[in-house]
């Protein structure tokens, strides 16, 4: 069979035009710019922080950051995922669009008020790093105000991208001027959070008049519906977060500052792959939904092809991360930290494994298999707690970096089983 150059050119041109028509390229470009600015936080801000406050104090900062991220997931209550769907589905109905917009903000605000009460009560529990958690409240507030769900839904991300990048630049400037040494470490999350709060407030204040989103009080029935419908999704998001961060809290409780600092530094490095994979998932979501609606066979072919491509790309990243672990640690921390290098080399396989699993998760979302997602989340949470305990109490500290790889491998096997389960049942 002979393939002519003209036929190949026509095929490639046609494929490009079809992809362009589905907005995958523009979605990916816009979402990538958002996530690249977040990775900028890793490349520029974290070295600034570690060089100023040291790797041990950096561990305390990242502990509070992880705690705030977990709280942010609860406050968000799955609205970043369902909000995109609901905004996109009601673009031609101004009344429903306005209702989705304000219902999302209201339910976030209600959960944030509950979080403030929890933090207030925590002061009587003699928590060693309480001030770090207290000063990180703006990070959680920024999740209330984050309008990303709205801008993705209406597919107008340029303004959001520019503002998000400006927020990161503002954070860098403020950290350079106000953080001097380890005594200022408690203020790091406060500064980063306030820069984001100001940016998201500006975006909301511009979006409301521009898109005619006049103020609307919450409707009890709508709030209850979101609370009920997003419960499983939120539990899954919490579990997913804890699957990787539970060991950070365990290290803070039973480990020491040097282990915590080294681990959190490496966790932020491999975390950049999570950010990129979320970008990929969000970018292909609309196209995937269309293919799944048209034909499950088309979706299966598309999923397998994308898995192969993503796994190949991220495997290269894993190899580079393994061989350049020392260089990465030296740049980010400003010192030769052997513990961090060991952890980072052990974690290097995480991006490749995670890339294999990202479309399996999307597959279950498209099939609305919330019960399967919930069950996996619960099993993985229990396993991560047990693994963190075993590693910290019975293993050498050099094995701590294996936690993230083991957890991701287990998640991959479980999701792969669920994806293939209908086929297995039909054999």
């Amino acid at each position: 069979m002979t393939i002519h150059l003209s036929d190949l050119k026509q095929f490639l041109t046609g494929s490009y035009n079809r992809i362009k028509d589905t907005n995958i390229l523009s979605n990916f470009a816009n979402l990538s710019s958002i996530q690249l600015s977040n990775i900028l936080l890793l490349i520029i801000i974290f070295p600034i922080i570690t060089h100023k406050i040291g790797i041990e104090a950096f561990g305390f900062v990242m502990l509070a950051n992880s705690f705030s991220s977990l709280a942010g997931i609860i406050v968000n209550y799955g609205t970043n995922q369902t909000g995109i769907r609901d905004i996109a589905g009601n673009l031609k109905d101004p009344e429903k669009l306005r209702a989705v917009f304000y219902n999302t903000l209201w339910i976030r605000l209600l959960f944030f008020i509950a979080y403030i009460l929890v933090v207030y009560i925590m002061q009587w529990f003699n928590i060693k790093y309480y001030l770090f958690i207290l000063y990180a409240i703006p990070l959680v507030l920024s999740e209330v105000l984050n309008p990303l769900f709205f801008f993705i839904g209406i597919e107008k991300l340029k303004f959001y991208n520019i503002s998000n990048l400006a927020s990161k630049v503002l954070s860098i400037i403020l950290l350079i001027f106000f953080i001097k040494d380890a005594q200022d470490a408690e203020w790091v999350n406060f500064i980063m959070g306030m820069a984001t709060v100001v940016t998201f407030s500006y975006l909301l204040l511009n979006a409301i008049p521009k898109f005619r989103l006049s103020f609307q009080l919450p409707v009890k029935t709508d709030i209850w519906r979101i609370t009920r419908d997003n419960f499983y999704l939120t539990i899954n998001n919490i579990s997913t977060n804890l699957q990787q961060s539970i060991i950070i809290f365990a290290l803070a409780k039973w480990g020491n500052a040097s282990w915590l600092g080294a681990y959190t530094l490496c966790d932020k490095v491999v975390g950049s792959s999570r950010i990129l994979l979320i970008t990929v998932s969000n970018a292909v979501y609309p196209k995937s939904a269309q293919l799944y609606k048209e034909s499950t066979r088309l979706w299966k072919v598309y999923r397998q092809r994308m898995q192969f491509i993503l796994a190949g790309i991220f495997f290269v990243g894993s190899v580079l991360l393994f061989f350049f672990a020392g260089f990465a640690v030296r740049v980010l921390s400003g010192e030769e930290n052997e513990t961090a290098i060991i952890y980072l080399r052990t974690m290097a396989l995480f991006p490749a494994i995670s890339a294999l699993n990202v479309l399996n998760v999307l597959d279950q979302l498209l099939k609305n298999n919330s019960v399967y997602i919930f069950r996996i989340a619960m099993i993985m949470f229990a396993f991560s707690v047990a693994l963190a305990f075993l590693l910290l109490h019975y293993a050498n500290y050099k094995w701590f970096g294996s936690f993230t790889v083991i957890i991701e491998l287990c998640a991959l096997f479980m999701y792969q089983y669920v994806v293939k389960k209908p086929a297995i049942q039909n054999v």
Side-chain angles (χ1 to χ4, degrees):
M1 181 179 177
T2 304
I3 299 176
H4 296 288
L5 186 61
S6 59
D7 293 334
L8 180 60
K9 182 178 179 181
Q10 184 178 2
F11 171 76
L12 293 174
T13 303
S15 299
Y16 171 78
N17 289 332
R18 285 193 295 273
I19 293 172
K20 185 178 179 182
D21 290 339
T22 61
N23 284 331
I24 287 179
L25 290 178
S26 60
N27 288 343
F28 183 76
N30 284 315
L31 289 167
S32 293
S33 62
I34 294 171
Q35 305 301 358
L36 285 172
S37 67
N38 290 332
I39 293 175
L40 178 69
L41 189 74
L42 172 68
I43 297 173
I44 299 179
I45 294 184
F46 289 160
I48 291 173
I49 296 170
T50 51
H51 288 210
K52 282 175 174 277
I53 68 176
I55 197 167
E56 291 188 5
F58 177 81
F60 304 150
V61 171
M62 289 300 104
L63 171 66
N65 192 281
S66 296
F67 186 86
S68 299
S69 295
L70 180 62
I73 288 171
I74 298 171
V75 166
N76 184 276
Y77 205 72
T79 55
N80 257 358
Q81 291 146 294
T82 58
I84 295 171
R85 177 198 64 199
D86 295 340
I87 290 291
N90 292 287
L91 286 176
K92 296 181 180 179
D93 190 331
E95 286 299 316
K96 289 184 178 179
L97 184 69
R98 182 164 62 100
V100 171
F101 178 80
Y102 281 104
N103 285 339
T104 299
L105 295 181
W106 278 116
I107 197 162
R108 290 178 178 181
L109 181 61
L110 291 173
F111 277 103
F112 178 71
I113 291 170
Y115 174 71
I116 293 296
L117 292 175
V118 170
V119 173
Y120 179 74
I121 294 170
M122 284 172 64
Q123 66 181 304
W124 287 293
F125 284 81
N126 195 29
I127 297 172
K128 186 176 180 181
Y129 312 117
Y130 176 74
L131 285 180
F132 283 90
I133 293 171
L134 179 67
Y135 293 165
I137 284 178
L139 287 174
V140 185
L141 177 59
S142 69
E143 194 59 44
V144 177
L145 303 173
N146 189 353
L148 180 60
F149 75 99
F150 180 76
F151 286 99
I152 292 179
I154 63 174
E155 295 188 296
K156 295 183 183 296
L157 281 164
K158 185 177 180 180
F159 186 45
Y160 184 97
N161 294 345
I162 295 170
S163 300
N164 189 57
L165 181 60
S167 170
K168 301 301 182 288
V169 173
L170 178 61
S171 295
I172 293 170
I173 293 170
L174 292 174
L175 287 169
I176 290 173
F177 276 96
F178 291 104
I179 303 300
K180 304 299 182 185
D181 52 39
Q183 292 182 345
D184 299 324
E186 294 163 351
W187 293 97
V188 171
N189 285 318
F190 180 86
I191 289 172
M192 292 193 295
M194 284 307 299
T196 310
V197 165
V198 170
T199 301
F200 289 164
S201 298
Y202 174 75
L203 282 168
L204 286 174
L205 291 173
N206 276 272
I208 288 170
K210 184 175 181 179
F211 298 99
R212 299 178 183 177
L213 302 167
S214 54
F215 181 76
Q216 179 175 308
L217 289 170
V219 179
K220 288 183 180 180
T221 54
D222 289 342
I223 296 298
W224 170 245
R225 177 183 55 79
I226 296 172
T227 304
R228 182 192 63 228
D229 293 348
N230 286 20
F231 175 76
Y232 283 132
L233 181 60
T234 303
I235 293 297
N236 177 68
N237 291 341
I238 292 170
S239 175
T240 301
N241 178 280
L242 283 173
Q243 286 164 28
Q244 297 299 337
S245 65
I246 191 70
I247 195 168
I248 294 175
F249 301 127
L251 281 168
K253 177 69 176 177
W254 294 298
N256 60 52
S258 61
W259 295 348
L260 177 65
Y263 188 92
T264 53
L265 180 72
C266 298
D267 183 65
K268 287 302 176 182
V269 175
V270 299
S272 62
S273 65
R274 295 190 195 108
I275 293 172
L276 289 175
L277 285 168
I278 289 170
T279 303
V280 173
S281 180
N282 286 336
V284 303
Y285 203 153
K287 174 66 174 178
S288 300
Q290 292 169 18
L291 286 173
Y292 181 77
K293 187 176 182 180
E294 184 178 346
S295 167
T296 54
R297 183 185 62 82
L298 287 175
W299 159 241
K300 182 179 179 181
V301 172
Y302 178 75
R303 176 177 60 82
Q304 291 174 341
R305 184 170 69 247
M306 287 296 294
Q307 276 183 320
F308 179 78
I309 293 170
L310 288 175
I313 293 171
F314 280 85
F315 178 75
V316 172
S318 292
V319 172
L320 292 174
L321 196 57
F322 180 86
F323 284 106
F324 291 97
F327 174 76
V329 168
R330 195 159 50 248
V331 169
L332 291 173
S333 68
E335 60 182 76
E336 294 284 348
N337 191 298
E338 283 300 319
T339 303
I341 293 171
I342 292 169
Y343 290 168
L344 190 54
R345 283 185 174 150
T346 309
M347 293 177 178
L349 269 178
F350 173 86
I353 300 168
S354 190
L356 283 170
N357 201 34
V358 65
L359 290 177
N360 289 338
V361 178
L362 184 57
D363 177 84
Q364 295 304 294
L365 287 172
L366 291 172
K367 294 174 180 175
N368 201 26
N369 285 340
S370 57
V371 175
Y372 284 159
I373 293 172
F374 177 74
R375 288 174 181 173
I376 291 174
M378 292 298 95
I379 293 170
M380 290 302 304
F381 172 65
F383 178 70
S384 63
V385 171
L387 181 61
F389 177 82
L390 289 172
L391 284 174
L392 262 71
H393 287 273
Y394 297 105
N396 187 284
Y397 76 95
K398 294 180 180 180
W399 287 95
F400 294 167
S402 65
F403 176 88
T404 186
V405 174
I406 295 171
I407 291 296
E408 197 63 23
L409 270 174
C410 291
L412 173 62
F413 291 143
M414 294 185 71
Y415 270 103
Q416 196 69 32
Y417 171 77
V418 170
V419 167
K420 292 182 176 182
K421 188 176 181 180
I424 293 171
Q425 289 177 335
N426 292 330
V427 172

